[in-house]
């Protein structure tokens, strides 16, 4: 009898496990809960999270933002159609000139009369560099689009003197040699470039002038000192590791320990992929992004521990994107699809969830090269990735909230279980508006969710911005860039007990905007 009972009980357990797993796998509607509380804040969403990157690579600069002699360009060579699209992306800070290119670049080649500038071999991308677009052209472009310039020094083959002269050329107001060179080149007022990167991916064996953590830290520390002596207002970004196969944690630890009294940020780079064509696994990359941020944030705290007055140190996620289909042969002209657009939301959700420490981020890159804007000689088209980037940027300066999320979970191959809903939320206290950003990473399940609020009464009028498409692989091209675009609508929610139910469609990215009374 006892044996029979034991058997029945194990059968019941097995059945229960099967039923509960089928709840997820058979696509029945699970329910989820999101709880918002404007008192539970993480940090301010820094405006610099909506930055971009413009490297001398393929058609990013030449044929991208700059095309001398084109009927689409202005008198200086800037493409006007591209500039309009860039402005609507709300680019807050623009990184330049690389990337890998920076480690072989001599900025002094790129100033003065254009026709006298030398043509050089670009060893990073095996190309020729005409130098017709240089420091003045870049800084003028930033002024035109209203973005902060962010210059990456050459910490590969370059010297500390080159770096400090560059700061002097850009920022010195007195009559010094380099400031007067700037004047000679037509610019009286200093540009006041505040953000400078102390090199790019110097831990990578692919990098010109690749260094060990100790060699790099020593170089960067001395460069930082010299640059700051020229202009004490500069903000400096140390090169974090991007060679994740190697001991990236050790690199970051040494760099942070050495530069903790000079650097203001440490850089992180991440490119994600869907190489195995598994949508839900692709959408689980947030675990890796969160992990890189959290480990680096811990290393920052470790470097600061014991210091009576530690210098504030943040993360600059200064290269991020989806990138896996193209290489140098294709000049990185990646064609993005709808699922890549969803990945944009995933990156921003992670940045927002860590808004206390991630204070700058730069999409890599802006035009033609792994970019949301693609050009040819006749015009441009916007890739599906363009739209979430533009929409998330509207949340700059909001307060990021620590959201409670309870949602059905899944376990993608080789990864830890994670909730289907990837969520972040921000609050604009000036106009008392909540923004709820939800990526439903289930391939086929809509997720009906109760959205609740703690402080203040939710308005019933909800503005919905949604990106969704039946075809995960849908792309745009020239003359056909309307099909993968967001839709917007206003709905009237049935608010009960300061909450309402909303169904987040399968494989979609939704931003709900709700006033709080
Ligand atoms: O963005 C393309 C390249 O990716 C950059 O030049 C480099 O920093 C990174 O490896």
């Amino acid at each position: 009898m006892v044996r029979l009972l034991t058997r029945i009980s194990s059968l019941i357990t097995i059945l229960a496990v099967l039923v509960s797993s089928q709840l997820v796998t058979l696509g029945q509607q699970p329910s989820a809960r999101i709880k918002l509380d404007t008192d539970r804040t993480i940090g301010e969403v820094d405006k610099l999270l909506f930055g971009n990157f413009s490297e001398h690579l393929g058609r990013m600069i030449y044929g991208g933002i700059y095309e001398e002699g084109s009927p689409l360009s202005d008198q200086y060579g800037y493409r006007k159609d591209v500039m309009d699209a860039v402005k609507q992306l709300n680019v807050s800070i623009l990184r330049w000139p690389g990337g890998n290119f920076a480690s072989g670049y001599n900025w002094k080649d790129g100033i003065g009369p254009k026709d006298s500038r030398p043509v050089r071999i670009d060893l990073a991308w095996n190309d020729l560099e005409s130098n017709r677009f240089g420091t003045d052209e870049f800084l003028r472009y930033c002024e035109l689009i209203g973005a902060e310039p962010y210059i990456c020094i050459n910490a590969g083959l370059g010297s500390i003197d080159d770096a400090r002269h560059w700061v002097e050329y850009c920022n010195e107001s007195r009559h010094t040699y380099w400031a007067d060179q700037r004047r000679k080149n037509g610019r009286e007022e200093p540009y006041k470039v505040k953000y400078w990167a102390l090199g790019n991916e110097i831990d990578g064996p692919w990098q010109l002038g690749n260094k060990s953590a100790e060699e790099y830290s020593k170089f960067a520390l001395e460069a930082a000192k010299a640059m700051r002596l020229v202009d004490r207002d500069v903000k400096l970004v140390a090169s974090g590791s991007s060679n994740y196969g190697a001991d990236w944690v050790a690199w970051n630890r040494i760099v942070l320990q050495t530069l903790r009294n000079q650097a203001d940020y440490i850089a992180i780079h991440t490119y994600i992929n869907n190489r195995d064509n598994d949508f839900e696994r692709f959408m689980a990359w947030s675990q890796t992004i969160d992990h890189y941020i959290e480990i680096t944030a811990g290393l920052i705290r470790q470097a600061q521990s014991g210091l009576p007055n530690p210098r504030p140190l943040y993360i600059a996620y200064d290269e991020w994107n989806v990138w896996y289909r193209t290489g140098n042969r294709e000049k990185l002209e990646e064609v993005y699809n709808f699922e890549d657009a969803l990945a944009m939301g995933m990156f921003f959700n992670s940045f927002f969830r860590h808004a206390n420490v991630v204070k700058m981020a730069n999409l890599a890159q802006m035009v033609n090269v792994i970019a949301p804007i693609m050009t040819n000689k006749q015009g441009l088209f916007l890739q599906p990735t363009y739209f979430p980037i533009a929409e998330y940027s509207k949340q700059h300066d909001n307060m990021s909230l620590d959201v409670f999320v309870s949602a059905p979970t899944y376990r993608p191959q080789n990864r830890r279980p994670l909730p289907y809903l990837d969520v972040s939320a921000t609050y604009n206290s000036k106009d008392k508006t909540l923004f709820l950003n939800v990526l439903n990473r289930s391939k086929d399940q809509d997720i009906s969710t109760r959205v609740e609020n703690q402080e203040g009464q939710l308005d019933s009028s909800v503005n919905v911005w949604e990106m969704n498409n039946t075809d995960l692989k849908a792309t745009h091209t020239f003359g056909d860039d309307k099909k993968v675009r967001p839709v917007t609508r206003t709905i009237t929610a049935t608010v009960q007990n300061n909450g309402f139910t909303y169904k987040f469609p399968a494989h979609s990215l939704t931003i709900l905007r709700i006033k709080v009374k």
Side-chain angles (χ1 to χ4, degrees):
M1 184 63 178
V2 174
R3 279 180 73 185
L4 185 66
L5 280 176
T6 320
R7 279 216 156 151
I8 291 172
S9 130
S10 355
L11 266 175
I12 290 173
T13 315
I14 292 168
L15 271 175
V17 169
L18 276 176
V19 167
S20 69
S21 63
Q22 281 182 345
L23 274 181
V24 173
T25 52
L26 293 185
Q28 295 172 13
Q29 280 231 336
S31 58
R33 199 168 147 234
I34 292 176
K35 202 167 157 196
L36 303 164
D37 184 346
T38 52
D39 284 340
R40 295 183 73 89
T41 57
I42 297 172
E44 203 170 88
V45 175
D46 202 297
K47 196 173 177 210
L48 300 186
L49 291 186
F50 309 101
N52 222 302
F53 174 32
S54 52
E55 178 166 8
H56 287 242
L57 197 186
R59 298 190 308 121
M60 168 55 242
I61 303 285
Y62 305 107
I65 60 175
Y66 190 70
E67 196 166 355
E68 289 175 289
S70 162
L72 298 175
S73 297
D74 67 10
Q75 67 201 101
Y76 306 106
Y78 301 120
R79 276 277 296 254
K80 288 183 283 185
D81 55 340
V82 178
M83 201 181 294
D84 287 344
V86 165
K87 280 184 186 163
Q88 285 174 48
L89 209 49
N90 300 319
V91 176
S92 55
I93 182 165
L94 189 58
R95 183 170 179 253
W96 176 83
N100 297 340
F101 175 81
S103 298
Y105 179 58
N106 181 353
W107 72 270
K108 292 167 185 166
D109 290 340
I111 54 170
K114 282 187 194 167
D115 292 335
S116 322
R117 297 183 193 173
V119 175
R120 302 278 189 202
I121 302 174
D122 160 16
L123 295 169
W125 298 107
N126 188 23
D127 214 336
L128 291 186
E129 173 53 53
S130 69
N131 279 305
R132 294 185 71 83
F133 188 97
T135 301
D136 291 288
E137 288 74 25
F138 169 68
L139 294 175
R140 221 173 291 133
Y141 191 72
C142 287
E143 288 177 347
L144 289 169
I145 63 168
E148 284 276 354
Y150 171 27
I151 294 182
C152 181
I153 68 161
N154 179 344
L157 303 182
S159 72
I160 292 171
D161 262 355
D162 287 338
R164 76 179 171 95
H165 292 157
W166 210 351
V167 178
E168 184 184 321
Y169 182 87
C170 295
N171 292 358
E172 180 58 61
S173 53
R174 294 167 295 179
H175 281 279
T176 66
Y177 178 77
W178 286 109
D180 285 346
Q181 292 301 307
R182 183 191 70 232
R183 290 188 180 94
K184 226 167 80 189
N185 296 333
R187 174 74 181 208
E188 173 60 40
E189 286 304 304
Y191 291 105
K192 285 288 161 211
V193 178
K194 190 163 161 193
Y195 298 93
W196 296 80
L198 300 167
N200 174 73
E201 297 188 354
I202 300 295
D203 64 320
W206 58 87
Q207 203 67 214
L208 289 163
N210 164 232
K211 295 179 174 54
S212 71
E214 289 77 11
E215 288 164 347
Y216 168 70
S217 301
K218 179 78 182 132
F219 175 93
L221 181 69
E222 297 307 319
K225 271 161 56 182
M227 291 163 77
R228 219 185 271 291
L229 284 168
V230 178
D231 181 353
R232 59 209 274 237
D233 294 332
V234 292
K235 298 270 181 207
L236 302 174
V237 183
S239 171
S241 172
S242 49
N243 192 7
Y244 294 108
D247 194 350
W248 70 276
V249 173
W251 171 280
N252 283 1
R253 187 184 301 118
I254 294 166
V255 167
L256 283 165
Q257 193 70 27
T258 315
L259 286 154
R260 62 186 178 181
N261 294 321
Q262 279 293 347
D264 301 283
Y265 301 81
I266 181 162
I268 297 185
H269 294 175
T270 304
Y271 293 101
I272 66 171
N273 69 77
N274 187 12
R275 248 184 225 114
D276 46 11
N277 194 18
D278 177 342
F279 171 75
E280 291 188 354
R281 185 156 189 263
F282 180 42
M283 293 292 109
W285 267 96
S286 61
Q287 288 181 326
T288 307
I289 302 160
D290 288 349
H291 178 75
Y292 290 157
I293 295 172
E294 284 157 22
I295 295 288
T296 307
L299 293 170
I300 290 175
R301 283 200 296 278
Q302 186 188 43
Q304 291 172 328
S305 78
L307 299 181
N309 233 339
R311 177 187 192 81
L313 251 168
Y314 301 110
I315 291 171
Y317 224 114
D318 64 10
E319 284 187 33
W320 65 270
N321 207 340
V322 177
W323 173 23
Y324 62 103
R325 304 167 182 97
T326 57
N328 197 20
R329 199 149 36 102
E330 298 85 12
K331 297 293 173 208
L332 282 71
E333 300 213 359
E334 198 95 353
V335 175
Y336 288 114
N337 59 28
F338 165 60
E339 67 183 17
D340 299 326
L342 300 183
M344 302 296 104
M346 182 170 64
F347 270 104
F348 281 118
N349 283 348
S350 181
F351 300 157
F352 288 8
R353 284 194 295 267
H354 300 93
N356 57 327
V357 64
V358 182
K359 292 292 185 189
M360 188 200 297
N362 304 69
L363 178 85
Q365 304 194 7
M366 197 163 75
V367 184
N368 290 329
V369 172
I370 44 174
I373 302 166
M374 300 295 286
T375 69
N376 63 14
K377 294 221 172 288
Q378 289 75 44
L380 61 80
F381 78 89
L382 304 176
Q383 302 237 42
T385 50
Y386 180 93
F387 305 96
I389 301 168
E391 192 61 25
Y392 269 80
S393 74
K394 296 177 184 163
Q395 295 179 56
H396 69 83
D397 298 326
N398 286 2
M399 193 51 85
S400 174
L401 303 179
D402 187 2
V403 189
F404 169 84
V405 182
S406 155
T409 57
Y410 71 110
R411 190 184 186 132
Q413 193 203 356
N414 302 336
R415 286 191 178 272
R416 284 173 285 123
L418 78 168
Y420 273 123
L421 299 186
D422 180 66
V423 181
S424 70
T426 69
Y427 181 59
N428 181 332
S429 57
K430 274 189 230 106
D431 52 16
K432 295 200 178 319
T433 304
L434 276 166
F435 293 73
L436 176 59
N437 312 303
V438 180
L439 166 66
N440 180 355
R441 38 191 165 196
S442 168
K443 198 169 176 188
D444 43 29
Q445 295 178 56
D446 299 342
I447 297 187
S448 178
T449 306
R450 173 144 173 96
V451 178
E452 296 170 357
N453 180 42
Q454 187 71 26
E455 286 300 317
Q457 192 59 36
L458 286 179
D459 198 80
S460 58
S461 170
V462 179
N463 289 318
V464 182
W465 176 97
E466 182 188 299
M467 262 196 102
N468 199 351
N469 202 286
T470 46
D471 180 4
L472 293 173
K473 307 293 181 190
T475 56
H476 285 167
T477 187
F478 292 99
D480 178 17
D481 72 351
K482 299 279 184 281
K483 43 181 199 281
V484 195
R485 291 208 177 204
V487 291
T488 56
R489 57 183 177 271
T490 303
I491 57 162
T492 306
T494 312
V495 179
Q496 277 173 341
N497 296 330
N498 215 11
F500 61 92
T501 300
Y502 190 85
K503 197 195 281 175
F504 294 102
H507 59 257
S508 69
L509 181 63
T510 307
I511 302 178
L512 300 182
R513 209 190 294 190
I514 319 152
K515 289 257 186 210
V516 178
K517 285 181 265 182

